[in-house]
Amino acid sequence: MEILMPEPQIYVERTLAIIKPDVIDKEEEIEDLILRSGFHIIQKRKLQLSPEQCSNFYAEQFGKVFFPNLTAYMSSGPIVAMVLARNCAVSYWKELLGPSNSLRARITHPNSLRALYGTDELRNGLHGSVSTSSAEKEIRFLFPEAILEPVPSGQRARDYLNLYVKPTLLAGLSALCRVKPAEPL
């Protein structure tokens, strides 16, 4: 009788998280909550963006009424940018953040990060990417040295394992079986 084992899968998705200027003093507390929520912090940096950099980062919001206030707020002090990874990172991070309006978050999602750390719609404490494509773009913006290769999945992952990993493992394990140490312990 064969035991059916599920095929191993690689679950890695990245998203960008930003701790905004007004809650930077809660950095350690927020990081602890992030880690306890199953995320891995892949990269992290503390920086202060200029108003021009903020304008470029939030270019999709250009023309909206709150845009000048947003760029002034985001350039008002240091921020902490983090690349987070886990299975379905973008959707889990958005869920952990809660609604963008902190006042609404307190009512509808009282345990969300924005309910806990935000003060209003603009000063909501944290930023999160809205999609995997925006996450890649935002990560490239704040971590230009980062290598963002697509993680293989499905047949591409199986091909990679068969071509590179399995032959190396087979050769190493075969060599290990041929050698019989005098003192195994």
Side-chain angles (χ1 to χ4, degrees):
M1 182 172 162
E2 270 186 58
I3 298 176
L4 296 175
M5 297 290 289
E7 282 192 43
Q9 297 187 18
I10 301 171
Y11 295 112
V12 179
E13 184 176 283
R14 289 169 279 211
T15 191
L16 181 75
I18 296 176
I19 300 174
K20 295 182 179 181
D22 55 330
V23 293
I24 197 99
D25 58 324
K26 304 283 187 188
E27 176 187 351
E28 285 182 29
E29 191 177 310
I30 293 169
E31 280 184 37
D32 184 51
L33 288 168
I34 289 169
L35 294 171
R36 284 192 284 133
S37 297
F39 290 95
H40 296 279
I41 299 173
I42 304 299
Q43 286 184 287
K44 174 181 149 181
R45 69 186 285 209
K46 192 177 205 172
L47 66 153
Q48 183 156 356
L49 297 174
S50 69
E52 183 182 5
Q53 289 172 313
C54 290
S55 294
N56 291 335
F57 184 79
Y58 287 107
E60 289 140 13
Q61 308 297 333
F62 184 76
K64 295 188 178 172
V65 176
F66 61 85
F67 184 76
N69 291 334
L70 177 64
T71 56
Y73 163 55
M74 288 302 291
S75 61
S76 67
I79 62 168
V80 174
M82 295 174 281
V83 178
L84 307 180
R86 73 165 282 169
N87 180 28
C88 301
V90 173
S91 60
Y92 278 116
W93 180 238
K94 287 193 313 190
E95 184 180 321
L96 187 61
L97 284 174
S100 60
N101 185 327
S102 297
L103 302 174
R104 189 173 343 120
R106 286 192 188 101
I107 297 164
T108 61
H109 297 76
N111 295 320
S112 69
L113 294 178
R114 286 180 173 150
L116 297 171
Y117 299 104
T119 54
D120 56 36
E121 189 168 5
L122 179 65
R123 297 181 187 282
N124 59 9
L126 297 114
H127 168 84
S129 303
V130 296
S131 66
T132 52
S133 60
S134 69
E136 282 185 31
K137 187 180 86 168
E138 293 173 353
I139 291 168
R140 278 196 182 95
F141 186 91
L142 291 171
F143 297 90
E145 72 287 351
I147 299 171
L148 294 174
E149 297 174 356
V151 176
S153 62
Q155 189 58 46
R156 286 183 51 223
R158 285 188 285 282
D159 291 345
Y160 179 84
L161 290 172
N162 289 332
L163 188 61
Y164 298 106
V165 178
K166 286 181 181 178
T168 304
L169 284 174
L170 183 61
L173 290 172
S174 297
L176 185 62
C177 289
R178 282 189 221 108
V179 176
K180 295 186 180 181
E183 275 304 313
L185 301 177

